[in-house]
Amino acid sequence: MLKIENLHAEIDGKPILKGLSLTVNAGEVHAIMGPNGAGKSTLGYVLGGRPGYEVTAGSVTFDGHDLLDMDTHDRAAAGLFLGFQYPVEIPGVSNVQFLREALNAQRKSRGEAPLSGAEFLKLARAQADLLGMNQEMLKRPVNVGFSGGEKKRNEMVQMGIIAPKFAILDETDSGLDIDALKAVGEGINRIMRAPDKAVLLITHYERLLEYVEPDHVHVLVDGRIVRSGGPELAKQLEAEGYAEVAA
Amino acid sequence: MTTLTLPSRREEAWRWSKLDALRALADQPHGTALIADDHFIGLGGPRLVFVDGVLDADRSTPGRVRVEPLDLATDHPLGKQATGPGWRLTLDTDQATDPIEIVHIATGGANHLPARITLGEDAAATIVETYVGAGWSNRLTQITLARSARLMRSVRMLQSSGFISHRDEAQVGEGASLVSIFLGAGGMDCRVDGALHCTGAAAYAEMGGALLTQGEQNQEAAVSLRHDALDGQSHQTWRAVAKDRSTASLAARVEVARGAQKTDGEQSLRGLLLDRTSTINLKPELEIFADDVKCAHGATVGELDRTALFYLTSRGIAPARAKALLTRAFVADALSRIGTEAVRDAFTADADRWLERAL
Ligand SMILES: Nc1ncnc2c1ncn2[C@@H]1O[C@H](COP(=O)(O)OP(=O)(O)OP(=O)(O)O)[C@@H](O)[C@H]1O
Ligand SMILES: [Mg+2]
């Protein structure tokens, strides 16, 4: 589904990704772990097409298409979802308005009919309920005044509504209390565990992986994947630390 | 040729103005009237249509509004040219009227129209004015609110070209409330000019709105608000959005006289530059002679938040629409001050149409 080959990317002329290769097939969950500053979020942003993140070499294909050649909103319409490490506050735009616009824009570019206000609300309410998010929060401005954990839950509600093919979830587990971690873990499984979907899970902790069991675990250090393995690698990292395992 | 005396840009109050086009417009003839039937919001009250400053009686149901010669005194250089017949609304004690809608159609050339609004004690009125067409529309409106009178005014400037000069002069009496909200969402230049005077204790005055400019447009608001009595409150919430090589300017002044203790004045001027080539000028001014007052003011100019834009587009929203959503949210603070929902919705829709065209 996603094939990254020898990806090099820089920010303001500073190389961050230095030859990263990774293949994720449909039906798989991959976890990426790695020390602070390794380039994990950068990988997510480059895949999402964030302005300022310049790809200097390498290629990324998504469902056979050249992902790097697509505009950010077209990547979303093609089924890519980026769960932000730091979800953005948008004063004056309600969650409901934002998500309905987003979903209908995606549907339109796929040639599907837009959802009416009532249809959308039904869907949004159901997803908010499943993730234990207060209905009132749907009406509030996007992420404004949300706690860290509420923002992460909101990312998952968005993912539930949008129902992407491929999700990159950047530290969706950090800042969550124990119950929220469970709810988010179950949410990821429910929304994304399917033969035609795949997930790239960026995390620092093995805890989330107890709910969302990865098929593959990769260690990203200094812009490259230095080691790959099965779920046991996450446990080893947790016990021994990156320095030891990556050495 | 008309001899038109215009204020000079060397005068501080007119430094951001671009009035040169007025000379040419003053000498041009009127054109032919457009059909204006869809410019009413439909609030169920009196309706007046002025074509080039002249009442179109066939299309008007003026209710309590009279059209008659008015003799208004003012020093304002543009306002004083609005002479001759004008409209007058006079409400006696406790009277109220259904919302009044006024549509000003300009067909080219220049048109001038004075207006007088006098509300007696506890009287209440809502007035919506809409400018459409082309040419120079010049207005002077004098307003007097007696004790506890309430006037809610919303003015939208939607001319496709030309210039709108709109001068308000108001006296707000004890416990009375004046709210005037403006929207510039057309293709014309404009100068919204106000001198509001809170003369009675606990008077409330508000003048604000949103100016949206693109191309080579030049729009400005210059408001001065004076508190003369105790316990007054005022708000000036203005938003300016400028695209291309356009200029939007906001100058807002609050004066608190020596006796006007406990005045609570709030001023919020914010500008959003949609292009590096556009200009926004902000000039907040406070002049306070009383010691026990609360005057909050803020003035900032910025660009759209890039991180927010990326967040929106990463969810599938096209860049132009993402910009429109953020700009709409930026402008909403000013338009949310409009009290009547139908009016607020109509103004928001006008702003949305502007955003769709511009982005
Ligand atoms: N705008 C920027 N300008 C310069 N350097 C940047 C910029 N943004 C990120 N970096 C650098 O890029 C490197 C990778 O950052 P990135 O956010 O991808 O790390 P990460 O692996 O996600 O770390 P963490 O675990 O702390 O989230 C860091 O050294 C960071 O300082
Ligand atoms: Mg990160």
Side-chain angles (χ1 to χ4, degrees), chain B residues 112-127:
Chain B
H112 303 273
L113 183 69
R116 183 92 187 90
I117 302 168
T118 311
L119 302 193
E121 286 188 18
D122 283 302
T126 296
I127 300 176

Side-chain angles (χ1 to χ4, degrees), chain A residues 32-53:
Chain A
I32 293 200
M33 306 181 82
N36 296 131
K40 302 182 298 296
S41 293
T42 302
L43 173 63
Y45 290 144
V46 168
L47 295 177
R50 182 169 183 159
Y53 288 68

Side-chain angles (χ1 to χ4, degrees), chain A residues 11-12 14 16 34-42 53 85 171 204:
Chain A
I11 311 168
D12 288 338
K14 179 184 164 197
I16 310 286
N36 296 131
K40 302 182 298 296
S41 293
T42 302
Y53 288 68
Q85 182 174 0
E171 297 199 26
H204 282 294

